[in-house]
Amino acid sequence: HALSGARGLAARPSSTPHRGRRKGAPSHRPKRPLLPGAVVAMADFEAAKAFLQTKEDGVSLFDHLTEVLLKVITEHPENAVEHFERISAAVKSSSMLDHKPSAGAAVAAAAAGARGEAEEADVREAALKRVADALAVFRTPNEDDDVPEVGEGLQDVADASNYLEWAGVGLGRTEMFRLHLSLRELSAKQSARDMRVWGRLHGLEADYIVAEGKIDPPEDEAEDEKDALGNAVEPTGTGANTCTYWVCSHAGAEWHRLPRVTPHQIVVARRIKRFLTGKLDAPVAGHPPFPGEERSLVRAQIARISAETVVCPAGHFKRVEDEESRDVEPVPDDEYAAEDPTAPEGWVHIALPINALGRTAPNPKEDEGDEEGEEPDPELLTEPLKPITDDAPPDAEDALPWTVRPCPVAGIPSAEPAAGLVLAKSLRWPGAVAVARGRRFANLYVGYGVESGTPEGADLAPAAFQPATPGPVQSEFSMEAFNAAAAENGAKFEEQPDVIVDPDEGKPAEGEEDAEEDE
């Protein structure tokens, strides 16, 4: 009742003038204050207007009434009240025709809805599978299960993760622990040794978690295999194929072994820059063309990153006594002499560098008994344990692509930084790091697999990437140049002149022929 009364007071004006006040005189009566009911009435009005503007199938009652009133004002019917329902029906039918979706739009909407439901189901299924895979690594084998033995040299992932975490890098404790369990299973199934977590390669649709290990050469491996450039592919266990690599999308998922890398793939990978998609069978587009699918590109980038960023403090390894071998072995504890790892001079590469051919050594001779053959280029024979200070360009020795710094560790005096944790970070391959403390060290790469700067062979001054320039455009065919080259053999070719005579000249027209026949 208060609300209705307030509405009446606010909306109904006074019908009789006040006595004793002449026309045009100002009123001395105080203004009536705004009643609380009027505020409520305004709120109800806004709510009612919002209700009228609610759209169903693209049309609201507010819009419909607006169009009906506009039609009444425009047409001026004689009896608007009598014809109001007819006008409303006409406006409604025209509006429904305008807002009615076409058959194609309805089918497209239904297809989009079905596609959205299918995508949602795929995402849900993938999430459930990821959870199931993560839980599967914690499964305890039964007594009847034939559990193979874990290969020797398995990395202590928890210890390496602790050091990497101090340096501010890593995949997280939970993920690293799952990878440790997954590596144990992979090492047992593949009979691999020296297994370790190599790192993670980011992709546009999925990531690659990479595991590194060593296996014996397969029996069906082809010998003396060559690539498209004629370079010999290094066998499993040697050179760029010293280690074998497996990839998976997440800890607990199925591991996929990558193929051997060829020199041709490494040479082309140096000249392109491409983000990975996360699909091993995806094609690799770009110039120059890459010989293989994405699984081969991943393997080529891993070989390049390992050769340039897998480092350790000097003094951990030494060359084997065999002069013909380039393998390295750990230095015994009684012979170990620590060097200062806080300076770049105290770090060396573990893996063999890759030469211009995409190999770690020159191509082998075709005939081993032929001693008179050409001597291989000594620059193509790379040596192990190369200091990282040699990575600087010859013309810019100050531009070392490494940064080395000690990390703060509790309990280590600041006057003895070499006794603490030291971090070496690659600037050429963002995401490649190495940490060391004493005789312990670890390497990890977490990045996009893309090198910073200009690709090799591009001959470009700026550091920003630009693709290699295509070859020159071939010139059009020239008859003069062709005849000049063929004149030595006495041959001469001329272009046939164009036909400029009308072939129907002198023939009667079709109408004339019919007239002659009628005669």
Side-chain angles (χ1 to χ4, degrees):
H1 295 290
L3 178 59
S4 61
R7 290 176 178 173
L9 292 174
R12 185 172 63 252
S14 178
S15 58
T16 58
H18 298 288
R19 295 180 181 179
R21 190 184 72 182
R22 62 180 184 273
K23 187 176 181 180
S27 175
H28 298 284
R29 182 183 238 177
K31 294 183 179 179
R32 185 186 300 274
L34 184 64
L35 298 178
V39 178
V40 177
M42 182 62 66
D44 289 349
F45 173 75
E46 295 296 336
K49 184 178 180 181
F51 171 74
L52 293 176
Q53 291 179 340
T54 303
K55 292 188 176 182
E56 295 183 2
D57 298 333
V59 182
S60 66
L61 181 58
F62 186 88
D63 297 337
H64 175 69
L65 293 176
T66 302
E67 293 181 6
V68 170
L69 295 178
L70 181 61
K71 189 175 183 64
V72 170
I73 295 173
T74 303
E75 297 182 357
H76 294 284
E78 295 182 358
N79 194 348
V81 176
E82 182 179 355
H83 299 287
F84 186 83
E85 288 80 3
R86 180 184 61 79
I87 297 174
S88 175
V91 171
K92 186 176 181 180
S93 61
S94 61
S95 300
M96 293 299 293
L97 290 176
D98 295 339
H99 292 87
K100 184 178 180 180
S102 61
V107 173
R115 185 168 56 254
E117 294 178 359
E119 292 178 356
E120 184 178 355
D122 294 341
V123 171
R124 188 185 305 109
E125 183 180 357
L128 293 176
K129 185 179 183 305
R130 188 183 184 94
V131 173
D133 293 339
L135 295 177
V137 298
F138 298 98
R139 183 181 63 87
T140 303
N142 300 324
E143 297 179 357
D144 300 336
D145 294 344
D146 185 13
V147 181
E149 296 183 0
V150 179
E152 61 180 5
L154 180 66
Q155 181 189 26
D156 189 349
V157 180
D159 185 67
S161 176
N162 186 29
Y163 282 99
L164 292 168
E165 185 177 351
W166 270 104
V169 294
L171 304 179
R173 295 185 178 183
T174 304
E175 186 73 3
M176 293 293 279
F177 182 69
R178 291 177 183 152
L179 287 176
H180 174 69
L181 300 179
S182 184
L183 281 184
R184 288 178 58 88
E185 184 178 359
L186 176 63
S187 175
K189 289 182 178 180
Q190 299 290 336
S191 300
R193 57 190 182 277
D194 298 337
M195 293 288 299
R196 76 177 184 96
V197 178
W198 185 88
R200 182 198 295 269
L201 291 169
H202 296 309
L204 300 178
E205 300 182 17
D207 295 345
Y208 293 111
I209 295 179
V210 186
E212 178 189 272
K214 296 180 180 179
I215 61 173
D216 297 329
E219 297 180 357
D220 57 348
E221 183 175 286
E223 297 181 0
D224 301 332
E225 181 182 356
K226 294 185 178 181
D227 59 11
L229 299 179
N231 297 319
V233 180
E234 295 176 302
T236 300
T238 61
N241 291 310
T242 299
C243 297
T244 304
Y245 297 90
W246 294 263
V247 296
C248 69
S249 59
H250 55 273
E254 181 182 1
W255 291 96
H256 300 273
R257 191 176 77 179
L258 298 178
R260 287 188 302 165
V261 64
T262 65
H264 188 196
Q265 294 170 350
I266 294 179
V267 170
V268 176
R270 287 171 172 169
R271 305 197 58 173
I272 63 175
K273 279 194 175 183
R274 179 177 174 82
F275 285 113
L276 304 174
T277 63
K279 298 180 180 180
L280 292 174
D281 56 350
V284 181
H287 177 78
F290 183 80
E293 298 177 339
E294 185 168 291
R295 66 179 74 245
S296 299
L297 178 61
V298 171
R299 181 63 183 88
Q301 296 298 78
I302 290 175
R304 298 179 60 208
I305 296 172
S306 299
E308 299 184 26
T309 65
V310 177
V311 297
C312 70
H316 281 67
F317 293 91
K318 66 177 182 179
R319 294 190 62 169
V320 297
E321 297 179 357
D322 188 1
E323 295 181 358
E324 297 181 357
S325 176
R326 294 180 297 160
D327 297 337
V328 296
E329 60 183 3
V331 175
D333 293 339
D334 55 352
E335 300 179 7
Y336 175 69
E339 298 189 17
D340 184 14
T342 59
E345 293 78 6
W347 290 79
V348 296
H349 290 275
I350 303 177
L352 289 171
I354 300 177
N355 57 25
L357 299 178
R359 294 168 45 88
T360 60
N363 284 314
K365 296 181 179 180
E366 296 292 339
D367 187 3
E368 297 182 356
D370 185 10
E371 299 181 356
E372 298 181 358
E374 297 181 0
E375 292 295 330
D377 188 355
E379 295 184 358
L380 299 179
L381 185 63
T382 59
E383 298 295 334
L385 304 180
K386 185 183 72 170
I388 66 173
T389 52
D390 295 347
D391 296 347
D395 55 345
E397 297 181 357
D398 297 337
L400 182 66
W402 287 92
T403 175
V404 180
R405 62 177 178 84
C407 299
V409 180
I412 302 298
S414 59
E416 301 178 3
L421 193 68
V422 182
L423 169 68
K425 182 183 297 185
S426 174
L427 304 180
R428 179 172 296 170
W429 292 95
V433 296
V435 293
R437 181 184 181 187
R439 291 223 65 179
R440 298 182 180 181
F441 68 93
N443 288 268
L444 186 72
Y445 178 83
V446 180
Y448 289 91
V450 177
E451 181 184 9
S452 64
T454 305
E456 297 182 12
D459 297 332
L460 298 173
F465 167 71
Q466 293 188 16
T469 305
V473 179
Q474 295 183 352
S475 59
E476 296 184 1
F477 177 77
S478 174
M479 182 62 69
E480 291 77 6
F482 182 79
N483 286 331
E488 299 178 359
N489 301 328
K492 184 179 180 180
F493 296 88
E494 295 181 356
E495 184 179 0
Q496 182 179 0
D498 297 334
V499 178
I500 58 177
V501 179
D502 187 4
D504 297 333
E505 185 178 358
K507 295 182 180 181
E510 294 182 359
E512 297 178 358
E513 292 181 357
D514 296 340
E516 292 177 358
E517 292 178 359
D518 294 339
E519 292 178 359

